[in-house]
Amino acid sequence: MPGRLLRGLWQRWRRYKYRFVPWIALNLTHNPRTLRYVPEESRDKLTTDEDVLGTLLKVFQALFLNDFHKQSDTLAMLPAPVRSKYQDLLTVQHQRVKLLENSQQQQNTFKPEEIMYQTLGFSVTRATSSLTSAGKGVFVTKGLVPKGTVVSMYPGTVYQKYEPIFFQSIGNPFIFRCLDGVLIDGNDKGISKVVYRSCNGRDRLGPLRMSDSTWLTSDIHNPLAVGQYVNNCSNDRAANVCYQEFDVPALFPVELKQYLPNIAYSFDKQSSLRCVVLVALRDIKEGEELFSNYFTIVS
């Protein structure tokens, strides 16, 4: 019995160590390819914020149109010009995909990963990692990811560096630390899951959802929200994506916030919502697993 328990603990450690910051730090000299060097923090961006915003708007808008027949309550809250814009876009979309004219066919929806492929030219999903004992990973399931493209997002509750996260952090391998000390808890289980759902319900304005909570389930509405399962690179598996911070602008369309997989722990109208996206360091082919740099060295 003790032997079985020890084997179980050892297997869990082998999976967890790749996300345990002290272990990674102690092994930096043995894994030089896990580091990414940038000249200064302000230049730690592979693509511009404008391009990141454009990608998110493009995908979220396509998801919104795909769910258009479910958006009646949301549309009722929007100004007439915005409703008209979506009606026009929906007409163009129906013509593009050559749907039949009967209403039943027009209400058929695609799976989120299909929308991602139609919009960006590739799709990603979670699956068992190719690394031994690493648990889940993220793979390109279809298409080609061009260099500099946003390939996924890191979902979770966003904590300022002065906010409490002790209990959520215990045994939690999914806490991401931004350059300025902001933390994102991407755990989809336990107390982290409860906290996110609570904040999600708190910020909802009638039918308008301010964030997406489906990444906590197996039925993910935003196919980009899988970044917390991207494993760290190694000497054998070079990084093909890197993390990039992005603050959601104040003028982000309110009807598309329902697809943002992040929410602030404390409600603050003055602060921008912090998101983290993963950007391709090179072209990534269909079937490849995504590997990231957990550490950035600012020289």
Side-chain angles (χ1 to χ4, degrees):
M1 184 67 178
R4 182 181 299 177
L5 178 61
L6 289 175
R7 285 195 299 272
L9 291 174
W10 175 246
Q11 289 175 354
R12 290 193 65 181
W13 165 247
R14 290 180 64 185
R15 292 193 297 267
Y16 176 65
K17 67 181 181 180
Y18 297 105
R19 296 176 180 271
F20 184 55
V21 173
W23 182 88
I24 299 174
L26 290 173
N27 285 272
L28 287 180
T29 56
H30 303 295
N31 295 278
R33 293 179 69 182
T34 67
L35 300 178
R36 185 166 63 93
Y37 292 87
V38 295
E40 56 186 79
E41 291 185 13
S42 62
R43 296 174 63 184
D44 184 26
K45 290 184 182 295
L46 196 65
T47 188
T48 66
D49 286 345
E50 290 74 17
D51 287 340
V52 173
L53 177 61
T55 298
L56 298 186
L57 290 177
K58 187 177 181 180
V59 175
F60 292 0
Q61 189 176 83
L63 293 170
F64 186 86
L65 291 173
N66 190 55
D67 290 335
F68 198 75
H69 62 285
K70 300 178 182 178
Q71 303 287 353
S72 57
D73 291 340
T74 299
L75 289 167
M77 303 285 291
L78 302 178
V82 177
R83 293 199 301 271
S84 177
K85 179 193 73 171
Y86 282 114
Q87 291 285 359
D88 293 341
L89 289 172
L90 188 65
T91 300
V92 172
Q93 176 176 289
H94 282 169
Q95 293 172 348
R96 185 175 67 248
V97 298
K98 299 180 180 180
L99 293 175
L100 299 178
E101 294 185 356
N102 65 78
S103 60
Q104 182 178 359
Q105 282 291 91
Q106 286 184 353
Q107 290 185 0
N108 280 350
T109 57
F110 296 95
K111 294 180 179 179
E113 56 268 27
E114 293 172 340
I115 293 297
M116 183 179 183
Y117 177 72
Q118 292 173 9
T119 306
L120 300 180
F122 64 88
S123 60
V124 297
T125 191
R126 295 178 296 185
T128 302
S129 176
S130 59
L131 296 176
T132 304
S133 302
K136 292 182 180 179
V138 178
F139 293 80
V140 178
T141 53
K142 194 175 182 180
L144 173 72
V145 182
K147 178 181 177 179
T149 302
V150 174
V151 66
S152 64
M153 303 180 71
Y154 198 101
T157 306
V158 181
Y159 293 83
Q160 300 300 317
K161 52 189 175 182
Y162 52 81
E163 293 178 327
I165 194 175
F166 174 76
F167 291 107
Q168 298 93 308
S169 68
I170 296 176
N172 186 351
F174 295 106
I175 294 180
F176 181 91
R177 185 185 186 277
C178 298
L179 291 173
D180 59 0
V182 170
L183 301 174
I184 301 180
D185 182 3
N187 195 354
D188 55 10
K189 298 179 177 62
I191 189 173
S192 301
K193 180 177 182 178
V194 173
V195 169
Y196 189 94
R197 285 194 181 279
S198 176
C199 295
N200 178 261
R202 173 201 66 196
D203 290 358
R204 181 165 179 159
L205 299 175
L208 297 176
R209 297 189 296 270
M210 297 294 104
S211 63
D212 171 39
S213 62
T214 64
W215 65 272
L216 298 168
T217 72
S218 59
D219 183 23
I220 300 177
H221 290 182
N222 174 7
L224 290 170
V226 294
Q228 80 276 35
Y229 282 102
V230 174
N231 286 300
N232 194 32
C233 63
S234 66
N235 285 335
D236 297 327
R237 306 291 182 89
N240 50 22
V241 297
C242 68
Y243 297 100
Q244 181 169 314
E245 299 171 20
F246 172 74
D247 290 333
V248 178
L251 296 179
F252 194 87
V254 67
E255 70 275 9
L256 300 183
K257 289 185 177 181
Q258 61 182 291
Y259 300 108
L260 288 171
N262 299 96
I263 197 165
Y265 177 73
S266 297
F267 182 74
D268 185 0
K269 292 183 178 179
Q270 305 303 318
S271 300
S272 299
L273 177 67
R274 172 65 54 80
C275 290
V276 170
V277 298
L278 285 88
V279 181
L281 290 167
R282 59 168 175 80
D283 291 352
I284 307 174
K285 299 178 182 179
E286 182 176 319
E288 286 193 68
E289 182 173 359
L290 303 184
F291 292 103
S292 65
N293 291 100
Y294 279 6
F295 281 89
T296 298
I297 303 300
V298 180
S299 59

